[in-house]
Amino acid sequence: MAAIVLFVFVLLATAAHATQSSAPPPSTTHIKLYAHEVVSGRHPTAVTVARAPTTKASKTFFGEVFVMDDILTTAADDTGKPVGRAQGTYCSASRDSFTLLMDVTFVFTAGEFNGSSLGIVGRNDVRADVRELPVVGGTGVFRWARGYAQLSTSKFDLKSGDSTIEYNIFVRH
Ligand SMILES: *[C@@H]1O[C@H](CO)[C@@H](O)[C@H](O)[C@H]1NC(C)=O
């Protein structure tokens, strides 16, 4: 009796293992997008909403908080198609370097991922050529998403402060 029970148990365990290993690996999707941030003019897409009394004296804007709603397109220049928005907040979170803590939702309103969203949260050392932030989740086709985003500055206008940031997102979902 015990031998039969053991045999059945081993059989079940083997079947479970076989099912697991034959399951397809989670798909990894690479998404390349450009966030267009306008801080100048009458219709900025990123605004300062708060700062500490000591922020003005800080070289790194330590304690300044921004809200963003940047347009996301498929190219750095005017040929890009708008596919959604990058909505979130970021703040200057380092006293020693201009480093941000960002939390942003990529909301897709057109294209392949229309109706879905991705959440990106992490530290952004803006001086680095490539900044890597965790992708912590998503909705729609991105439910259970995990991954990372690599950010690089595609354009920066010293005069206006406007910028275009390239996002290379690698996400499993
Ligand atoms: C995106 O999806 C919404 C809701 O399904 C739909 O109304 C809209 O037309 C779609 N937009 C594009 C550009 O496909």
Side-chain angles (χ1 to χ4, degrees):
M1 185 64 190
I4 292 172
V5 170
L6 186 67
F7 178 69
V8 169
F9 179 76
V10 168
L11 211 65
L12 285 173
T14 312
H17 183 256
T19 310
Q20 246 171 34
S21 56
S22 66
S27 62
T28 303
T29 306
H30 175 203
I31 304 164
K32 188 173 184 166
L33 291 173
Y34 295 83
H36 302 269
E37 183 149 299
V38 180
V39 295
S40 62
R42 288 172 58 204
H43 303 288
T45 67
V47 291
T48 298
V49 292
R51 56 167 70 94
T54 50
T55 293
K56 261 200 167 149
S58 163
K59 280 189 191 127
T60 64
F61 307 101
F62 180 61
E64 188 149 351
V65 182
F66 304 80
V67 176
M68 68 192 278
D69 185 3
D70 294 348
I71 293 170
L72 290 170
T73 70
T74 54
D77 57 20
D78 294 344
T79 62
K81 291 195 180 84
V83 292
R85 300 293 191 99
Q87 298 175 332
T89 61
Y90 56 89
C91 62
S92 173
S94 168
R95 294 192 302 163
D96 304 322
S97 66
F98 187 47
T99 301
L100 307 174
L101 169 65
M102 291 188 78
D103 68 278
V104 53
T105 305
F106 275 29
V107 189
F108 294 94
T109 53
E112 189 184 349
F113 308 117
N114 187 11
S116 298
S117 74
L118 280 171
I120 299 169
V121 176
R123 180 177 185 268
N124 180 357
D125 179 352
V126 292
R127 295 165 313 163
D129 288 342
V130 179
R131 294 84 77 178
E132 188 166 309
L133 275 72
V135 173
V136 296
T139 66
V141 299
F142 296 119
R143 284 177 184 170
W144 306 109
R146 273 153 56 87
Y148 60 95
Q150 290 181 325
L151 285 60
S152 52
T153 304
S154 169
K155 271 192 232 163
F156 180 68
D157 188 331
L158 264 175
K159 217 168 161 188
S160 65
D162 298 349
S163 59
T164 301
I165 308 296
E166 179 178 316
Y167 279 77
N168 278 285
I169 299 173
F170 298 88
V171 66
R172 288 184 174 182
H173 56 97

